Amino acid sequence: MDDGSLEEMREASGGPWGGKSVDDEFEKYIEQIIGTESMQELKTAAFDDYLELMRNFEMKKRSVKPEKEGNIHLSVPLGLVQIVKKDKSKKSLEKAIEMSPYAGKVTFENWKLKWKNEDFLRFFESTIKKIKAHFREILYDSDMSDVETILMVGGFAECEVVQKAVKEHFKNKRLVVPDDAGVSVLKGAVFFGHVPDAITRRKARYTYGIQSWPAFNPTKHPESKKVEVNGKPRCKDVFFKYVTKGQVLTVGYEKSQIFQALNPREKKLECAIYISDSKDPVFVDDDGCRRLGVLVIPLPNLPDGAAIELEESMIFGETELRFQARDIFSGRSYEVQMDLLGDLDNDA
């Protein structure tokens, strides 16, 4: 931007395609050799050996070269060998390999598993395929047509196998991998904490809204959602949208709406906040919808028949979403904060 700040042109997206997904491929590979029960025993009765096995793989995963000839040797902990020996159908790790789908692709010699370099690289194939497919989806978007540079950060970005795959697949783009790419994300987070206005415009990653209970309309609401509240038919679980996925948000952007409490005699009102991967969710239990958190609002004591009106607001900014409710009668406000960097599958 002209003032030196950054504008996010497309909402953050992606999937579980980092170094952990390569570890998962390796773990499935070992399980197919030794069997599900033996793998479970390794994780429980010999957990230290399981950690040693995965640490050894991590070292090889980081050091493997994409074009190097030769073999990859991986040390195997004693506990794994002993567990396989107890399996009467396999009796030894060598025999287990011969009986597996990977016979001839891997051997066990001198307490080490041995692969040809090209066979070891297959642990990366699924992950890299998904990364490239997602890159294509983003870069072939008309809004991204003028993107010239791919900047790779994070620990997995230091892997030469990944770098080579991206460079070869997107030859018309400039690839930049900074020094200490593994700590670039941490450094950026610290900088952002000190300079929160470094990014002045973002794209909403999800559609944000709350659960509402409007009057039941038989022409647009299914009968299964019909409930009776204070003698009046209502539709439950309706997603009332505040922000649409992909919408431009400036720091401090606020969206407010006034609602009436359905039952003013209650002592408190629980307002559930939801997110959705869809731009136009209809109900909070639609596919792709998840509850982000709940704001509990104490209700004032009013005379019978009096309506309680609440102004409910979402405020976007920095790394947190703030949700605020104000009792219009008393002027009191209540607020809850949700960490947008945490696991959105769990309630805040």
mmCIF file with all atom_site columns, all heavy atoms in Angstrom, residues 224-243:
data_model
loop_
_atom_site.group_PDB
_atom_site.id
_atom_site.type_symbol
_atom_site.label_atom_id
_atom_site.label_alt_id
_atom_site.label_comp_id
_atom_site.label_asym_id
_atom_site.label_entity_id
_atom_site.label_seq_id
_atom_site.pdbx_PDB_ins_code
_atom_site.Cartn_x
_atom_site.Cartn_y
_atom_site.Cartn_z
_atom_site.occupancy
_atom_site.B_iso_or_equiv
_atom_site.pdbx_formal_charge
_atom_site.auth_seq_id
_atom_site.auth_comp_id
_atom_site.auth_asym_id
_atom_site.auth_atom_id
_atom_site.pdbx_PDB_model_num
ATOM 1   N N   . SER A 1 224 ? -38.878 -29.266 10.205 1.00 0.00 ? 224 SER A N   1
ATOM 2   C CA  . SER A 1 224 ? -38.043 -29.863 11.252 1.00 0.00 ? 224 SER A CA  1
ATOM 3   C C   . SER A 1 224 ? -37.393 -28.810 12.146 1.00 0.00 ? 224 SER A C   1
ATOM 4   O O   . SER A 1 224 ? -36.940 -29.122 13.255 1.00 0.00 ? 224 SER A O   1
ATOM 5   C CB  . SER A 1 224 ? -36.963 -30.748 10.628 1.00 0.00 ? 224 SER A CB  1
ATOM 6   O OG  . SER A 1 224 ? -36.127 -29.984 9.768  1.00 0.00 ? 224 SER A OG  1
ATOM 7   N N   . LYS A 1 225 ? -37.329 -27.565 11.674 1.00 0.00 ? 225 LYS A N   1
ATOM 8   C CA  . LYS A 1 225 ? -36.708 -26.497 12.452 1.00 0.00 ? 225 LYS A CA  1
ATOM 9   C C   . LYS A 1 225 ? -37.739 -25.662 13.222 1.00 0.00 ? 225 LYS A C   1
ATOM 10  O O   . LYS A 1 225 ? -37.385 -24.704 13.897 1.00 0.00 ? 225 LYS A O   1
ATOM 11  C CB  . LYS A 1 225 ? -35.903 -25.581 11.523 1.00 0.00 ? 225 LYS A CB  1
ATOM 12  C CG  . LYS A 1 225 ? -34.692 -26.220 10.868 1.00 0.00 ? 225 LYS A CG  1
ATOM 13  C CD  . LYS A 1 225 ? -33.602 -26.508 11.874 1.00 0.00 ? 225 LYS A CD  1
ATOM 14  C CE  . LYS A 1 225 ? -32.346 -27.037 11.207 1.00 0.00 ? 225 LYS A CE  1
ATOM 15  N NZ  . LYS A 1 225 ? -31.275 -27.335 12.187 1.00 0.00 ? 225 LYS A NZ  1
ATOM 16  N N   . LYS A 1 226 ? -38.981 -26.032 13.122 1.00 0.00 ? 226 LYS A N   1
ATOM 17  C CA  . LYS A 1 226 ? -40.039 -25.260 13.771 1.00 0.00 ? 226 LYS A CA  1
ATOM 18  C C   . LYS A 1 226 ? -40.116 -25.561 15.265 1.00 0.00 ? 226 LYS A C   1
ATOM 19  O O   . LYS A 1 226 ? -40.152 -26.715 15.671 1.00 0.00 ? 226 LYS A O   1
ATOM 20  C CB  . LYS A 1 226 ? -41.383 -25.564 13.112 1.00 0.00 ? 226 LYS A CB  1
ATOM 21  C CG  . LYS A 1 226 ? -42.539 -24.729 13.629 1.00 0.00 ? 226 LYS A CG  1
ATOM 22  C CD  . LYS A 1 226 ? -43.826 -25.075 12.881 1.00 0.00 ? 226 LYS A CD  1
ATOM 23  C CE  . LYS A 1 226 ? -45.010 -24.250 13.355 1.00 0.00 ? 226 LYS A CE  1
ATOM 24  N NZ  . LYS A 1 226 ? -46.245 -24.605 12.629 1.00 0.00 ? 226 LYS A NZ  1
ATOM 25  N N   . VAL A 1 227 ? -40.103 -24.519 16.086 1.00 0.00 ? 227 VAL A N   1
ATOM 26  C CA  . VAL A 1 227 ? -40.246 -24.649 17.533 1.00 0.00 ? 227 VAL A CA  1
ATOM 27  C C   . VAL A 1 227 ? -41.202 -23.562 18.013 1.00 0.00 ? 227 VAL A C   1
ATOM 28  O O   . VAL A 1 227 ? -41.458 -22.575 17.309 1.00 0.00 ? 227 VAL A O   1
ATOM 29  C CB  . VAL A 1 227 ? -38.888 -24.510 18.262 1.00 0.00 ? 227 VAL A CB  1
ATOM 30  C CG1 . VAL A 1 227 ? -37.964 -25.662 17.937 1.00 0.00 ? 227 VAL A CG1 1
ATOM 31  C CG2 . VAL A 1 227 ? -38.235 -23.180 17.929 1.00 0.00 ? 227 VAL A CG2 1
ATOM 32  N N   . GLU A 1 228 ? -41.740 -23.752 19.203 1.00 0.00 ? 228 GLU A N   1
ATOM 33  C CA  . GLU A 1 228 ? -42.649 -22.756 19.772 1.00 0.00 ? 228 GLU A CA  1
ATOM 34  C C   . GLU A 1 228 ? -41.975 -22.072 20.953 1.00 0.00 ? 228 GLU A C   1
ATOM 35  O O   . GLU A 1 228 ? -41.491 -22.733 21.875 1.00 0.00 ? 228 GLU A O   1
ATOM 36  C CB  . GLU A 1 228 ? -43.954 -23.419 20.204 1.00 0.00 ? 228 GLU A CB  1
ATOM 37  C CG  . GLU A 1 228 ? -45.030 -22.406 20.586 1.00 0.00 ? 228 GLU A CG  1
ATOM 38  C CD  . GLU A 1 228 ? -46.388 -23.055 20.846 1.00 0.00 ? 228 GLU A CD  1
ATOM 39  O OE1 . GLU A 1 228 ? -46.977 -23.592 19.869 1.00 0.00 ? 228 GLU A OE1 1
ATOM 40  O OE2 . GLU A 1 228 ? -46.827 -23.037 22.003 1.00 0.00 ? 228 GLU A OE2 1
ATOM 41  N N   . VAL A 1 229 ? -41.904 -20.748 20.908 1.00 0.00 ? 229 VAL A N   1
ATOM 42  C CA  . VAL A 1 229 ? -41.299 -19.955 21.977 1.00 0.00 ? 229 VAL A CA  1
ATOM 43  C C   . VAL A 1 229 ? -42.318 -18.906 22.424 1.00 0.00 ? 229 VAL A C   1
ATOM 44  O O   . VAL A 1 229 ? -42.749 -18.069 21.614 1.00 0.00 ? 229 VAL A O   1
ATOM 45  C CB  . VAL A 1 229 ? -40.001 -19.272 21.499 1.00 0.00 ? 229 VAL A CB  1
ATOM 46  C CG1 . VAL A 1 229 ? -39.409 -18.444 22.637 1.00 0.00 ? 229 VAL A CG1 1
ATOM 47  C CG2 . VAL A 1 229 ? -39.001 -20.292 20.997 1.00 0.00 ? 229 VAL A CG2 1
ATOM 48  N N   . ASN A 1 230 ? -42.709 -18.987 23.692 1.00 0.00 ? 230 ASN A N   1
ATOM 49  C CA  . ASN A 1 230 ? -43.712 -18.060 24.242 1.00 0.00 ? 230 ASN A CA  1
ATOM 50  C C   . ASN A 1 230 ? -44.986 -18.037 23.398 1.00 0.00 ? 230 ASN A C   1
ATOM 51  O O   . ASN A 1 230 ? -45.569 -16.977 23.146 1.00 0.00 ? 230 ASN A O   1
ATOM 52  C CB  . ASN A 1 230 ? -43.126 -16.647 24.348 1.00 0.00 ? 230 ASN A CB  1
ATOM 53  C CG  . ASN A 1 230 ? -41.995 -16.559 25.347 1.00 0.00 ? 230 ASN A CG  1
ATOM 54  O OD1 . ASN A 1 230 ? -41.957 -17.314 26.323 1.00 0.00 ? 230 ASN A OD1 1
ATOM 55  N ND2 . ASN A 1 230 ? -41.053 -15.657 25.106 1.00 0.00 ? 230 ASN A ND2 1
ATOM 56  N N   . GLY A 1 231 ? -45.377 -19.239 22.931 1.00 0.00 ? 231 GLY A N   1
ATOM 57  C CA  . GLY A 1 231 ? -46.626 -19.361 22.189 1.00 0.00 ? 231 GLY A CA  1
ATOM 58  C C   . GLY A 1 231 ? -46.540 -18.953 20.735 1.00 0.00 ? 231 GLY A C   1
ATOM 59  O O   . GLY A 1 231 ? -47.558 -18.959 20.025 1.00 0.00 ? 231 GLY A O   1
ATOM 60  N N   . LYS A 1 232 ? -45.349 -18.606 20.246 1.00 0.00 ? 232 LYS A N   1
ATOM 61  C CA  . LYS A 1 232 ? -45.194 -18.177 18.857 1.00 0.00 ? 232 LYS A CA  1
ATOM 62  C C   . LYS A 1 232 ? -44.251 -19.125 18.115 1.00 0.00 ? 232 LYS A C   1
ATOM 63  O O   . LYS A 1 232 ? -43.253 -19.557 18.672 1.00 0.00 ? 232 LYS A O   1
ATOM 64  C CB  . LYS A 1 232 ? -44.649 -16.744 18.792 1.00 0.00 ? 232 LYS A CB  1
ATOM 65  C CG  . LYS A 1 232 ? -45.590 -15.705 19.395 1.00 0.00 ? 232 LYS A CG  1
ATOM 66  C CD  . LYS A 1 232 ? -44.983 -14.311 19.299 1.00 0.00 ? 232 LYS A CD  1
ATOM 67  C CE  . LYS A 1 232 ? -45.915 -13.267 19.900 1.00 0.00 ? 232 LYS A CE  1
ATOM 68  N NZ  . LYS A 1 232 ? -45.329 -11.902 19.820 1.00 0.00 ? 232 LYS A NZ  1
ATOM 69  N N   . PRO A 1 233 ? -44.577 -19.444 16.844 1.00 0.00 ? 233 PRO A N   1
ATOM 70  C CA  . PRO A 1 233 ? -43.705 -20.346 16.078 1.00 0.00 ? 233 PRO A CA  1
ATOM 71  C C   . PRO A 1 233 ? -42.416 -19.638 15.659 1.00 0.00 ? 233 PRO A C   1
ATOM 72  O O   . PRO A 1 233 ? -42.440 -18.524 15.122 1.00 0.00 ? 233 PRO A O   1
ATOM 73  C CB  . PRO A 1 233 ? -44.558 -20.715 14.858 1.00 0.00 ? 233 PRO A CB  1
ATOM 74  C CG  . PRO A 1 233 ? -45.500 -19.583 14.692 1.00 0.00 ? 233 PRO A CG  1
ATOM 75  C CD  . PRO A 1 233 ? -45.774 -19.048 16.075 1.00 0.00 ? 233 PRO A CD  1
ATOM 76  N N   . ARG A 1 234 ? -41.307 -20.306 15.941 1.00 0.00 ? 234 ARG A N   1
ATOM 77  C CA  . ARG A 1 234 ? -39.998 -19.772 15.588 1.00 0.00 ? 234 ARG A CA  1
ATOM 78  C C   . ARG A 1 234 ? -39.213 -20.825 14.798 1.00 0.00 ? 234 ARG A C   1
ATOM 79  O O   . ARG A 1 234 ? -39.518 -22.015 14.859 1.00 0.00 ? 234 ARG A O   1
ATOM 80  C CB  . ARG A 1 234 ? -39.211 -19.405 16.846 1.00 0.00 ? 234 ARG A CB  1
ATOM 81  C CG  . ARG A 1 234 ? -39.826 -18.272 17.663 1.00 0.00 ? 234 ARG A CG  1
ATOM 82  C CD  . ARG A 1 234 ? -39.387 -16.932 17.147 1.00 0.00 ? 234 ARG A CD  1
ATOM 83  N NE  . ARG A 1 234 ? -39.938 -15.825 17.917 1.00 0.00 ? 234 ARG A NE  1
ATOM 84  C CZ  . ARG A 1 234 ? -39.628 -14.552 17.693 1.00 0.00 ? 234 ARG A CZ  1
ATOM 85  N NH1 . ARG A 1 234 ? -38.769 -14.243 16.733 1.00 0.00 ? 234 ARG A NH1 1
ATOM 86  N NH2 . ARG A 1 234 ? -40.173 -13.598 18.405 1.00 0.00 ? 234 ARG A NH2 1
ATOM 87  N N   . CYS A 1 235 ? -38.193 -20.363 14.084 1.00 0.00 ? 235 CYS A N   1
ATOM 88  C CA  . CYS A 1 235 ? -37.291 -21.276 13.382 1.00 0.00 ? 235 CYS A CA  1
ATOM 89  C C   . CYS A 1 235 ? -35.965 -21.286 14.126 1.00 0.00 ? 235 CYS A C   1
ATOM 90  O O   . CYS A 1 235 ? -35.328 -20.233 14.297 1.00 0.00 ? 235 CYS A O   1
ATOM 91  C CB  . CYS A 1 235 ? -37.083 -20.832 11.933 1.00 0.00 ? 235 CYS A CB  1
ATOM 92  S SG  . CYS A 1 235 ? -36.071 -21.979 10.971 1.00 0.00 ? 235 CYS A SG  1
ATOM 93  N N   . LYS A 1 236 ? -35.545 -22.459 14.569 1.00 0.00 ? 236 LYS A N   1
ATOM 94  C CA  . LYS A 1 236 ? -34.318 -22.555 15.342 1.00 0.00 ? 236 LYS A CA  1
ATOM 95  C C   . LYS A 1 236 ? -33.098 -22.715 14.419 1.00 0.00 ? 236 LYS A C   1
ATOM 96  O O   . LYS A 1 236 ? -33.216 -23.070 13.250 1.00 0.00 ? 236 LYS A O   1
ATOM 97  C CB  . LYS A 1 236 ? -34.384 -23.735 16.315 1.00 0.00 ? 236 LYS A CB  1
ATOM 98  C CG  . LYS A 1 236 ? -34.435 -25.095 15.639 1.00 0.00 ? 236 LYS A CG  1
ATOM 99  C CD  . LYS A 1 236 ? -34.420 -26.218 16.655 1.00 0.00 ? 236 LYS A CD  1
ATOM 100 C CE  . LYS A 1 236 ? -34.429 -27.588 15.966 1.00 0.00 ? 236 LYS A CE  1
ATOM 101 N NZ  . LYS A 1 236 ? -34.350 -28.701 16.936 1.00 0.00 ? 236 LYS A NZ  1
ATOM 102 N N   . ASP A 1 237 ? -31.934 -22.425 14.981 1.00 0.00 ? 237 ASP A N   1
ATOM 103 C CA  . ASP A 1 237 ? -30.641 -22.708 14.334 1.00 0.00 ? 237 ASP A CA  1
ATOM 104 C C   . ASP A 1 237 ? -30.375 -21.903 13.071 1.00 0.00 ? 237 ASP A C   1
ATOM 105 O O   . ASP A 1 237 ? -29.553 -22.290 12.240 1.00 0.00 ? 237 ASP A O   1
ATOM 106 C CB  . ASP A 1 237 ? -30.508 -24.201 13.994 1.00 0.00 ? 237 ASP A CB  1
ATOM 107 C CG  . ASP A 1 237 ? -30.571 -25.094 15.207 1.00 0.00 ? 237 ASP A CG  1
ATOM 108 O OD1 . ASP A 1 237 ? -30.209 -24.613 16.300 1.00 0.00 ? 237 ASP A OD1 1
ATOM 109 O OD2 . ASP A 1 237 ? -30.990 -26.255 15.071 1.00 0.00 ? 237 ASP A OD2 1
ATOM 110 N N   . VAL A 1 238 ? -31.024 -20.773 12.889 1.00 0.00 ? 238 VAL A N   1
ATOM 111 C CA  . VAL A 1 238 ? -30.781 -19.968 11.693 1.00 0.00 ? 238 VAL A CA  1
ATOM 112 C C   . VAL A 1 238 ? -29.448 -19.234 11.828 1.00 0.00 ? 238 VAL A C   1
ATOM 113 O O   . VAL A 1 238 ? -29.132 -18.673 12.887 1.00 0.00 ? 238 VAL A O   1
ATOM 114 C CB  . VAL A 1 238 ? -31.922 -18.955 11.464 1.00 0.00 ? 238 VAL A CB  1
ATOM 115 C CG1 . VAL A 1 238 ? -31.577 -17.975 10.342 1.00 0.00 ? 238 VAL A CG1 1
ATOM 116 C CG2 . VAL A 1 238 ? -33.217 -19.692 11.150 1.00 0.00 ? 238 VAL A CG2 1
ATOM 117 N N   . PHE A 1 239 ? -28.653 -19.253 10.772 1.00 0.00 ? 239 PHE A N   1
ATOM 118 C CA  . PHE A 1 239 ? -27.358 -18.572 10.753 1.00 0.00 ? 239 PHE A CA  1
ATOM 119 C C   . PHE A 1 239 ? -27.603 -17.114 10.329 1.00 0.00 ? 239 PHE A C   1
ATOM 120 O O   . PHE A 1 239 ? -27.916 -16.835 9.173  1.00 0.00 ? 239 PHE A O   1
ATOM 121 C CB  . PHE A 1 239 ? -26.420 -19.266 9.758  1.00 0.00 ? 239 PHE A CB  1
ATOM 122 C CG  . PHE A 1 239 ? -24.976 -18.850 9.877  1.00 0.00 ? 239 PHE A CG  1
ATOM 123 C CD1 . PHE A 1 239 ? -24.016 -19.749 10.322 1.00 0.00 ? 239 PHE A CD1 1
ATOM 124 C CD2 . PHE A 1 239 ? -24.564 -17.576 9.522  1.00 0.00 ? 239 PHE A CD2 1
ATOM 125 C CE1 . PHE A 1 239 ? -22.684 -19.379 10.429 1.00 0.00 ? 239 PHE A CE1 1
ATOM 126 C CE2 . PHE A 1 239 ? -23.231 -17.194 9.626  1.00 0.00 ? 239 PHE A CE2 1
ATOM 127 C CZ  . PHE A 1 239 ? -22.284 -18.106 10.080 1.00 0.00 ? 239 PHE A CZ  1
ATOM 128 N N   . PHE A 1 240 ? -27.452 -16.178 11.275 1.00 0.00 ? 240 PHE A N   1
ATOM 129 C CA  . PHE A 1 240 ? -27.578 -14.758 10.970 1.00 0.00 ? 240 PHE A CA  1
ATOM 130 C C   . PHE A 1 240 ? -26.187 -14.223 10.651 1.00 0.00 ? 240 PHE A C   1
ATOM 131 O O   . PHE A 1 240 ? -25.316 -14.170 11.519 1.00 0.00 ? 240 PHE A O   1
ATOM 132 C CB  . PHE A 1 240 ? -28.204 -13.993 12.138 1.00 0.00 ? 240 PHE A CB  1
ATOM 133 C CG  . PHE A 1 240 ? -28.454 -12.541 11.831 1.00 0.00 ? 240 PHE A CG  1
ATOM 134 C CD1 . PHE A 1 240 ? -29.661 -12.137 11.278 1.00 0.00 ? 240 PHE A CD1 1
ATOM 135 C CD2 . PHE A 1 240 ? -27.475 -11.588 12.067 1.00 0.00 ? 240 PHE A CD2 1
ATOM 136 C CE1 . PHE A 1 240 ? -29.891 -10.796 10.986 1.00 0.00 ? 240 PHE A CE1 1
ATOM 137 C CE2 . PHE A 1 240 ? -27.693 -10.259 11.763 1.00 0.00 ? 240 PHE A CE2 1
ATOM 138 C CZ  . PHE A 1 240 ? -28.902 -9.854  11.219 1.00 0.00 ? 240 PHE A CZ  1
ATOM 139 N N   . LYS A 1 241 ? -25.975 -13.834 9.415  1.00 0.00 ? 241 LYS A N   1
ATOM 140 C CA  . LYS A 1 241 ? -24.635 -13.501 8.929  1.00 0.00 ? 241 LYS A CA  1
ATOM 141 C C   . LYS A 1 241 ? -24.236 -12.065 9.266  1.00 0.00 ? 241 LYS A C   1
ATOM 142 O O   . LYS A 1 241 ? -25.003 -11.134 9.059  1.00 0.00 ? 241 LYS A O   1
ATOM 143 C CB  . LYS A 1 241 ? -24.584 -13.732 7.412  1.00 0.00 ? 241 LYS A CB  1
ATOM 144 C CG  . LYS A 1 241 ? -23.228 -13.518 6.797  1.00 0.00 ? 241 LYS A CG  1
ATOM 145 C CD  . LYS A 1 241 ? -23.170 -14.057 5.372  1.00 0.00 ? 241 LYS A CD  1
ATOM 146 C CE  . LYS A 1 241 ? -24.130 -13.337 4.453  1.00 0.00 ? 241 LYS A CE  1
ATOM 147 N NZ  . LYS A 1 241 ? -23.955 -13.753 3.049  1.00 0.00 ? 241 LYS A NZ  1
ATOM 148 N N   . TYR A 1 242 ? -23.005 -11.924 9.755  1.00 0.00 ? 242 TYR A N   1
ATOM 149 C CA  . TYR A 1 242 ? -22.416 -10.608 9.995  1.00 0.00 ? 242 TYR A CA  1
ATOM 150 C C   . TYR A 1 242 ? -21.403 -10.255 8.910  1.00 0.00 ? 242 TYR A C   1
ATOM 151 O O   . TYR A 1 242 ? -21.374 -9.140  8.407  1.00 0.00 ? 242 TYR A O   1
ATOM 152 C CB  . TYR A 1 242 ? -21.717 -10.588 11.361 1.00 0.00 ? 242 TYR A CB  1
ATOM 153 C CG  . TYR A 1 242 ? -22.608 -10.246 12.524 1.00 0.00 ? 242 TYR A CG  1
ATOM 154 C CD1 . TYR A 1 242 ? -23.631 -11.099 12.927 1.00 0.00 ? 242 TYR A CD1 1
ATOM 155 C CD2 . TYR A 1 242 ? -22.429 -9.069  13.239 1.00 0.00 ? 242 TYR A CD2 1
ATOM 156 C CE1 . TYR A 1 242 ? -24.449 -10.788 14.007 1.00 0.00 ? 242 TYR A CE1 1
ATOM 157 C CE2 . TYR A 1 242 ? -23.245 -8.746  14.328 1.00 0.00 ? 242 TYR A CE2 1
ATOM 158 C CZ  . TYR A 1 242 ? -24.255 -9.618  14.705 1.00 0.00 ? 242 TYR A CZ  1
ATOM 159 O OH  . TYR A 1 242 ? -25.067 -9.297  15.769 1.00 0.00 ? 242 TYR A OH  1
ATOM 160 N N   . VAL A 1 243 ? -20.532 -11.216 8.594  1.00 0.00 ? 243 VAL A N   1
ATOM 161 C CA  . VAL A 1 243 ? -19.452 -10.991 7.629  1.00 0.00 ? 243 VAL A CA  1
ATOM 162 C C   . VAL A 1 243 ? -19.394 -12.184 6.686  1.00 0.00 ? 243 VAL A C   1
ATOM 163 O O   . VAL A 1 243 ? -19.540 -13.337 7.116  1.00 0.00 ? 243 VAL A O   1
ATOM 164 C CB  . VAL A 1 243 ? -18.094 -10.809 8.352  1.00 0.00 ? 243 VAL A CB  1
ATOM 165 C CG1 . VAL A 1 243 ? -16.930 -10.923 7.383  1.00 0.00 ? 243 VAL A CG1 1
ATOM 166 C CG2 . VAL A 1 243 ? -18.050 -9.453  9.051  1.00 0.00 ? 243 VAL A CG2 1
#
